[in-house]
Amino acid sequence: MVTRDIVFNSCNDACNTITTDRRVEGAPVYRCTGCDSEWIELDERTTPGVPDPEPAAPVPAEAPTAAPPAPEPATAAVAEAPADSVAPVQLPPGAVVPQLMQTVLDARDIRQLAEFYRAFLDLRYRPGHAPPFHGADDAEWLVLTHPDGTSALAFRADDQHVAPTWPKKGVPPQVHIDLSVPDLPSLNAACQRAVSLGARILADRATHSDDSLVILADPAGHPFCIVVA
Amino acid sequence: MAAPDPVHPQLLHTVLDARDIRPLAEFYREFLGLVYRPGDEPPASGPDNADWLVLTQPDGRRALAFQLDEKHVAPTWPQPGVPQQLHLDLTVPDRAALGAARDRALELGARVLFDRTEDADEPLYVFADPAGHPFCVFVG
């Protein structure tokens, strides 16, 4: 049993007056009912070993009650799972299923962003994509691979790129990457390392017992999660 | 004293936002031959109110996830407005498979944004999935 202590911050956007528990679906973020902006609730903590009280604060009738879904606890033992109730995909004879190759991130400065992920995830440049020894680094497309050579991430130069403003309104993230570490000490170490490499923490839920995760923004502003899985 | 080995997180999966995640998950499940993580299948009865779905490879390795965002606005790329931010690259082994992938993607609800199949070096299509996220399919 755990106690979840929520300290409501005032809205740090515009109105600076409203407290709310209207959690935004899919994120450890609360929506201000005053100005309808979103902000990150950083003061939510769980205290182990204390019985859960009945819900203390009155909850608005329209408030969603579900916990944020993302990311989820690790899935154990796929092989032991019940049979998939969904019919397997029926493909025409000889059909080829496309393979996921890589996820591509847009940025104005793709070298900076590639260097971040290269160092953070221990990836390698595709041959020919390393920074040039001489002359200008005018790469418009960079690929990072796993040590075995398989593609992991790619970076596409976009001179007009505007960083996501999530969780605030404006520019949505659209797509994000989840990373996993095996345990809580690894999560803390990974976060420290990410910050030292230029990321910033958007939400720290590392101590949550049910879904331990930290949300960060990479140097180009793309949110990503590190989960214990 | 030597610094401890840094922790290198593993890429788990890529997550796509949408207002209606079931049709989007169904699109990718069928197009890429993926399977639901146990428990994420559509319910046999009752409402389907999933706000988070995971698709895996048939061997259980994570592939894609889908996050409900009731305020999701589809990317307008390549037009200005709502940027794509991230996209997926998919590969097929040859040109014949590329054409078949196009037919199947359209049948499943994608639309073609760019047809660059005449490119001698790297024939490819750029599609938008049913939620509007651009993705590429090319020979590789």
Side-chain angles (χ1 to χ4, degrees), chain A residues 18-38:
Chain A
I18 305 298
T19 59
T20 182
D21 56 1
R22 292 184 61 195
R23 187 190 288 274
V24 175
E25 289 285 347
V29 175
Y30 294 81
R31 185 185 309 285
C32 175
T33 53
C35 61
D36 200 37
S37 67
E38 297 168 8

Side-chain angles (χ1 to χ4, degrees), chain A residues 3-94:
Chain A
T3 298
R4 178 163 292 184
D5 304 311
I6 302 176
V7 179
F8 293 118
N9 290 324
S10 58
C11 173
N12 58 13
D13 249 7
C15 63
N16 201 36
T17 57
I18 305 298
T19 59
T20 182
D21 56 1
R22 292 184 61 195
R23 187 190 288 274
V24 175
E25 289 285 347
V29 175
Y30 294 81
R31 185 185 309 285
C32 175
T33 53
C35 61
D36 200 37
S37 67
E38 297 168 8
W39 76 99
I40 297 172
E41 175 57 73
L42 288 176
D43 296 333
E44 187 174 355
R45 291 288 182 270
T46 52
T47 306
V50 180
D52 279 334
E54 290 300 310
V59 177
E62 71 276 19
T65 55
E72 68 302 320
T75 302
V78 170
E80 297 174 11
D84 192 341
S85 64
V86 179
V89 176
Q90 298 295 321
L91 294 172

Side-chain angles (χ1 to χ4, degrees), chain B residues 53-78:
Chain B
L53 295 170
V54 174
L55 291 176
T56 73
Q57 303 288 352
D59 64 7
R61 286 176 296 125
R62 294 295 187 95
L64 294 172
F66 304 88
Q67 175 173 260
L68 174 66
D69 176 1
E70 291 172 338
K71 299 202 164 190
H72 179 253
V73 178
T76 55
W77 188 89

